[in-house]
Structure formats: structure tokens, C-alpha cells
Amino acid sequence: MESVRLPTFSQAQFIDYNPYTGAPQQNGTLPFFYHTMKKTIFLSLIYAVFCAFTSGAKVGQARKWNDGWRFELSDSAHYASKEFSDTAWRSLTLPHDWSREGIPSPTLASCTGYLPGGTAWYRKHFDVSLDSLGDNLLKVYFEGIYNRSEIYLNGHKIGERPNGYVSTEYDLTPYLADGENVLAVRVDHSRYADSRWYTGSGIYRDVYIYEKPARHIALWGLSWEAKQVKGRKWKIEVTTELEGKSTTNEKLTLSLTAPDGKTVASRTMKATGDTCKTVFTINDPALWNTGNPALYSLEAKLTANGREIDSETVPVGFRTIGFDADKGFALNGKSMKIKGVCLHHDNGIFGAAVPPALVKQRLETLKSLGVNAIRCSHNPQAPIFYTYCDSLGLMVMDEASDEWEFPKRKWIEGWNRGKPGFDGTADFFNDWIERDVTDMVRRDRVHPSVILWSVGNEVDYPNDPYSHPILDTPDDTGMTQAQYGGFDPTAPRAERIGEIADRLSKAIKRYDTSRPTTGALAGVVMSNCTTYPEAVDIVGYNYTEKRYATDHATYPDRIIYGSENRHDMEAWKAVRDNDFISGQFIWTGADYLGESGAWPSRGLYTGLIDFANNVKPRGYFRASLWSDEPMAYIGTYPASFRGRRHNYMSIDAPAVWNYRDGDIVRIVCYTNQPAARLLLDGKPFGDTAEKDPDTGVIHWDLPYSPGTLTVEALDADGNPAATDSITTCTRPATLTAETIHKASGPDDIHIIEVTALDDNGNLCFLADNLINCFVRGGTLLGLENADNTDMSAPTARSRRLHNGRLTLYVAPVAPVADIHLSSPLLPPLHLKVEY
């Protein structure tokens, strides 16, 4: 069995965060992919070390507890028992998403990406010395279990949490045994089509273990609110919540450290009662903003009789958030537009168990396109996500849920096709929603990146489920969502939406008053007949740009922004040209699993970046609207395209230059410069063209001729500011590979992009060769080609190129990973990757 003295790695390891507080820290534990390494020498490390929980670990210090778990995809009441023998179960390391290990099938639901659910159990054996533990408490912390989880220790049920996205702490102490203990977790995702998109199944986020003294700082108990008093003078109000019976001579020391490591404020006070408050005055602090996100750290130390017994550290950012009904949004008093994207929590072949390197890569890529804000669609994300947003200067709208007291439609046969299902999370809404919402707030309020709390998404979708007589009015009221018929008197009354929103908004403000509350409205016209818009501080409109001016005039005190929007120029102009609109959140920042079309379809293909975190053409189009750095992108499609096909391709033109001689081709340039010109093999091709103000695109219709086509984006003075090129390619001849991200140690991953080249070394954009991969000195975690129609198993070891590319994810188990790639008709490729 395993002891809790976890193996550690060198200081070159991945920077992680403290889940208890949100503060950055070194991660000294085994990685999420450990189950793939279980036949290596690390296996003996788990079972060979026997020591008490207190050996070598500071009390209160959280340590990852991901390794040494056993898993069984079946269900029995016997699995909770300590005496049950699980030796035949699979050994693995968390995080773990068992749905991604399934085989996609057209008999499954499209809302899940055609992947399965089920009911499963996890068990973990560990040793405890009660004498060494003494009066301390032993607690376990789950970042996320999807869903309907029940926790058992030595056969005793110690808790449950039906919501699959919230983080939860359990006290193990009452049922601990001296010596061997067994923690068992039941995860019931048998109602697998319970969401409109892919959720994953299992303990898909990190788990932590820690001791706490009987008197300690509460979970998420250290918080702050920073307020600008006057000029450059700020006050930071610090609250520390304590748990356990107070003893004599307890003191609490609070200290604030600047980004340069200098302590700028400190105070020691008596730690009496359950709550300690203090105020620091800070002169001229470095501000947190999207360009220079200055981060301070706040540390709380609890001492008894002069000995430290507990401590926590959280990040701090000094910034002001301003929303005005006429002037829109301002950060630190500076007016700006929120240039946001909506983002689900999954990532391609990894499903819901996403490695931190990919979380960071995706956020960095979006930031490079001019994105300055992320909407968590439609649930709290993993804690590491907020830590990265803090450090990258990305603002966050934290969102609680997509469904309230009644279930929504879930598409089973394809998005908006056939007969929907109605499984969901509504059955535990009334019992859990306030705790779920407040736990989101308590956990994430320390992150300066969070600027909005959303009580829900599209809970007012017309007739899904709520209804109102306004739905019988003519279709000239600005409704943009499907109504599923007119007013349905048998459906839940829409007025309930405002009542629930008010309840949740008040629950949020019990724990944080420094950020506004909001909701993402789908049926704005219907919601205007309720108290929903007044129940929140600012009002998000989903796809309802045509109502902006009307509602601004009708409700002059209402603060409006686009909470979910299309990619086209018209949707952006509605924000850009109206000062009173604070910004928008594009649907979506990245392609995501689930909410799929008819088979074959893994998910919804609406992202600025694809399943492999590559920028799509529409991502470059968005950069042309949002980025401050000079940029240019060139793409093409047949000039004969008309209607919806043309509208789609106008911002999704692929970077391909292969047509028949004489074909008339629409050549497009996405750029933030006012004009551009073309060169074919270095010679002028067509005329210089200006950007179309209505579409935001520069285009030419010209006859195809092979060669290298280059676009030069021209600044206001006519000088080249940015260029991009595409070249005619022949058949694929070789494979090449580039390491996009090199693992910093065994707890990180290698990200490698494989590309097909022709005899001239040009990218073969049309290549779709089958690639087989073998790895020695590492574990192949998966292959991602970003093709939405590729329905092979997410864990497949062979996959076809898509657009001439394929991304490999490798977990190193040795300092050098030896990777062998083979493909029919192409020479094999060998490469070595070191960390």
C-alpha cells in the first residue's frame, strides 16, 4: 500500500499552485499520466515506502495525491468496504477521464461527442499512524469529480457532491484507522447525456492530501478586497477565516509581498474568534492589468505559543473594475473593450483530464490573437486555469451553471436533430445550487483575473424550459434564438428566472462585493418581462446584437455586453461602434467536444483554435480585429462559392494554393493594416486592395497560377508592415517534426508537431497520410489531428494527418524519449526529445 511521503523532483519541475489558496508553488508529485508508467521503476516507489503522514511534511502543506489509485468501471455496494479485494482492479494515476478511453459510437449521444459514461469506483490504500497524527486533522481535497460522487473511508460514507465541477474538501479524521486505510470514491455518470457538451467522467482533476491542526485557517478562508482610496493610495481589506476551537496565545501574522519580493505590509494580531480582519494601506502599488499583470502575494501565518501551526498564501492584484451604462468597461480607469472568448474545459483527445501544459498553451495562444478575457463556459474550471489567467493578464468571467431547476434539451442524434433527451443536473439544483455558487466564489475570489460572477447561462432559453406570453408576439421583437413554438401555459413560468437569479446574486454578495454579478441571457425579450435583468448587476446578451440600441434606450441604467457572440464583423461592429457596450465573448475560443453535429462529429468546430491548439483561419481574422501587433494572413477558396458557404469561408479561408490552372480563386487577407498587395513568385499579382469596412477582409478574385503567393499588408503610409505566404505543393515526400513544448521534467509533457512536406520542403496542406507512432523512454499519451470528423478512439496510437499536420503528446519516463514515426509510402522518421 502507499504512504503519503510523496517522491519529489528537481527544482526544474513544473510550477503549480496551492489548491487550498490559489497561490503558485512548486509541484513535487507524480504526474497525471503515471498509470501509463506503472511498469517502470516508479511502481516500486509507491509500495516500498512506509511512513506516517507527518514525516517530512509541514502541517497544512497540500501535496498531490494522484498516484496509487485503483479503478473499476462497474458498480457494487461492496466496493465501499475496506475488506473488499481490489487487487484485480486497474492501477492508475489521476487525473483520469474514463469517457475518453471509450470507443466513439453513433449509437451514443451527440451531446457527449458520441463517447460513453457509466458508473465507476476509485479506491486508494494508504497508511496512517494515529500516534504521529496526534490531534491534527487529515483532509482530502478533490478539484473536480464528474459527477454525483460519493466518498467512503473504511466503509463509512463521509460525504457526497453531485456537481461535477466544484472543488470539495472532506475530513478523513473521524474514520481513520491506525495502519491501513481505504478511501473509496463512487462516481455515477450513468446519466451520461446530462449536458449539452462533453463533460468527461471520473476524478478528472487533481486530488490533494494535507494535515491541519485542530485550529487552522479554513478552506479558502484567506481573502482580500483591494480598493483605490485616492490617487495612488490603496487599501486592501484582508479577511482570514479560522476553524476549530481557539486556544491561548494564538496569533495571526499577515504579510503582503510585492512582485519584486519585498514585503510592503505586515501585521500581527490576536487570533480570536472565527474571523480576523485587517486593513493595509499601500501607496503606489504596481497595478494588475492585461498588459502588465503585476502580482503580489498575501501570506497568513497562524501561531500558537510562538510556534507556527498553519499558513496560507494567495495571489493579490491591485486593479479597479468599472462598468458604466453609457461608457462601457474600464480597467484601472482606462476605457477598453472586453475582447473575450467562451471556453469549455476539455481539450481534444485528452477529454476533461487536460495536462497543465495544454491549459497554458491554449491561453497563451488566445492571448497572442488579441484576446483579453475568457468566459468559463459554463462552469468553474480547474484552479490552475485561474492561476495562468492571473499571470497572463487575462480577465475571467466565472460562471456557475448552464441549467437550473428544470432540465434543458440534450441532443442525442446530432445538434438540433431528432428527439432530444432531458437528463441533466436539475434534480439536485434546489438542494445544492447555493453551496455550489458560493464555493465557486470562495475558491476563486483571490484571483485578480476574475472580474465577473455569472449566475448562469441561457437559463431563459425560450420554452427550454421556461415560457411566457411574450412568445406569442410577432417575430419582430429581436428574438434570435429558436422558440420551440409560442407560449406554453403548461411550461414553467418565466418569472421564476428572476426569482432564482436574485437568490443566487445575493448568495454571491455574501462572500464578495468587489465584482459585479451577471447572467448570460438567451431570451432577452422574454427576460425583459421578468426581474432577471434587475437581479444581476450587468446583463449579458447572447446573440442579440439587434437589441443593443433598443434596450439601451428603453433601460438607460442597464449595463449591457455581449456574453456570447458570433465571429462575423457585424457582431464586432455592434460592440466597437457603441460606447455603451462593454465588450463581447466569441463562441468559442477553442473547438470543443460534444454539442456535436450528426455522426461523424466529435464536437463543435467554432473555435479560434482547433483541438490541437493550432490557430485556425478565423483566429487570424479575429487577430486582425483585436491584435495591436502588425499581422497578416493569406487564405483562399473558389470564387464560385456563394451564400452561406461563401459567408463561412470568408473568415475561414484555408492557407492552400493548389487549384487547376485558370480557376478563378478568391484570395483573402486578414490584417490589421488598411491595405495589402499580392506577389506571385516575387512579382506583382493583381492590384493593391483596401480593407472592406463591412467585412473586415481584403480580397482579390484572380486566376490561379502555381508558385509562391505572398501578401504584404501595408500601413497608412503604404509601407509593408506584415507578410504571409502560401506555396503550391506536390505529393508528400517526407515527414518532419518540431518540438512545440519540451517537458521540463517527468511531471510535464512533450508536445511535438509532425508535418508532411513535399520534395521542395513545402507543407503538404492536403496530406492525410496515416501515421503510426512508437515511443521508447516515454509514453505516448495520444495523437491529435484536430479533425472534427475523425471518430477513432481518443487513445489511438495511429491517426491520419489533417491539413498536413499531426500533434504528438509524450510523457517522458527517461531523460531522452526516442520517437519512431512510420507511414505507408513515406520514409520513417526518428527523433529524440530530451528534458
Side-chain angles (χ1 to χ4, degrees), residues 534-551:
E534 289 71 45
V536 293
D537 298 315
I538 68 173
V539 185
Y541 283 33
N542 284 12
Y543 311 106
T544 321
E545 292 86 358
K546 66 173 64 176
R547 297 281 315 180
Y548 286 173
T550 300
D551 281 12

Side-chain angles (χ1 to χ4, degrees), residues 682-738:
K683 298 179 181 180
F685 189 51
D687 298 324
T688 297
E690 296 182 350
K691 183 183 296 187
D692 185 333
D694 293 327
T695 66
V697 176
I698 301 173
H699 80 270
W700 303 260
D701 290 342
L702 296 170
Y704 169 75
S705 183
T708 296
L709 186 64
T710 300
V711 66
E712 290 184 341
L714 308 176
D715 63 18
D717 297 323
N719 299 315
T723 66
D724 191 31
S725 297
I726 50 179
T727 301
T728 305
C729 65
T730 57
R731 293 182 180 275
T734 60
L735 296 174
T736 186
E738 178 185 1

Side-chain angles (χ1 to χ4, degrees), residues 461-752:
Y461 210 111
N463 283 323
D464 191 16
Y466 296 97
S467 196
H468 190 278
I470 191 68
L471 299 181
D472 280 338
T473 59
D475 191 27
D476 59 359
T477 57
M479 294 185 184
T480 58
Q481 298 283 30
Q483 298 178 42
Y484 303 112
F487 172 54
D488 180 359
T490 67
R493 60 186 184 89
E495 288 79 4
R496 284 286 295 156
I497 303 170
E499 297 165 7
I500 295 172
D502 181 67
R503 170 186 165 196
L504 299 184
S505 189
K506 288 177 179 176
I508 289 171
K509 291 181 183 299
R510 286 200 296 267
Y511 293 98
D512 182 58
T513 58
S514 67
R515 302 167 175 92
T517 59
T518 186
L521 277 60
V524 175
V525 174
M526 186 175 75
S527 286
N528 282 343
C529 300
T530 76
T531 59
Y532 187 11
E534 289 71 45
V536 293
D537 298 315
I538 68 173
V539 185
Y541 283 33
N542 284 12
Y543 311 106
T544 321
E545 292 86 358
K546 66 173 64 176
R547 297 281 315 180
Y548 286 173
T550 300
D551 281 12
H552 178 59
T554 306
Y555 311 102
D557 294 329
R558 180 179 297 181
I559 301 171
I560 303 173
Y561 71 101
S563 43
E564 195 167 308
N565 303 86
R566 303 181 311 274
H567 290 257
D568 60 85
M569 187 66 177
E570 283 301 312
W572 172 238
K573 286 166 65 177
V575 177
R576 184 196 67 186
D577 299 341
N578 291 297
D579 290 342
F580 62 89
I581 299 298
S582 295
Q584 67 174 187
F585 289 89
I586 296 296
W587 190 262
T588 56
D591 294 346
Y592 63 96
L593 301 174
E595 210 160 19
S596 305
W599 177 279
S601 173
R602 285 199 276 168
L604 206 54
Y605 216 50
T606 56
L608 300 180
I609 58 180
D610 62 26
F611 290 122
N613 288 347
N614 298 313
V615 180
K616 297 166 61 176
R618 63 176 53 194
Y620 291 111
F621 174 70
R622 187 56 40 179
S624 74
L625 303 179
W626 286 358
S627 178
D628 295 327
E629 297 296 322
M631 59 78 58
Y633 170 86
I634 187 172
T636 69
Y637 59 95
S640 59
F641 284 179
R642 294 290 183 270
R644 291 185 63 184
R645 196 173 189 189
H646 162 75
N647 293 337
Y648 171 81
M649 292 297 290
S650 65
I651 62 170
D652 274 301
V656 60
W657 190 234
N658 278 73
Y659 295 89
R660 290 188 296 265
D661 286 343
D663 281 355
I664 303 301
V665 179
R666 172 65 59 95
I667 304 165
V668 299
C669 172
Y670 312 143
T671 181
N672 49 14
Q673 305 302 308
R677 64 187 175 211
L678 293 174
L679 304 172
L680 182 61
D681 292 335
K683 298 179 181 180
F685 189 51
D687 298 324
T688 297
E690 296 182 350
K691 183 183 296 187
D692 185 333
D694 293 327
T695 66
V697 176
I698 301 173
H699 80 270
W700 303 260
D701 290 342
L702 296 170
Y704 169 75
S705 183
T708 296
L709 186 64
T710 300
V711 66
E712 290 184 341
L714 308 176
D715 63 18
D717 297 323
N719 299 315
T723 66
D724 191 31
S725 297
I726 50 179
T727 301
T728 305
C729 65
T730 57
R731 293 182 180 275
T734 60
L735 296 174
T736 186
E738 178 185 1
T739 302
I740 304 300
H741 173 78
K742 184 181 291 187
S744 59
D747 53 345
D748 201 355
I749 65 171
H750 298 303
I751 306 174
I752 302 159

Side-chain angles (χ1 to χ4, degrees), residues 2-4 45 49 108 124 132 193 251 540 604 612 710 714-715 785 819:
E2 187 224 359
S3 102
V4 308
L45 192 59
V49 184
L108 297 173
K124 184 173 179 66
S132 297
K251 293 184 179 180
L604 206 54
T710 300
L714 308 176
D715 63 18
N785 62 7
I819 302 171

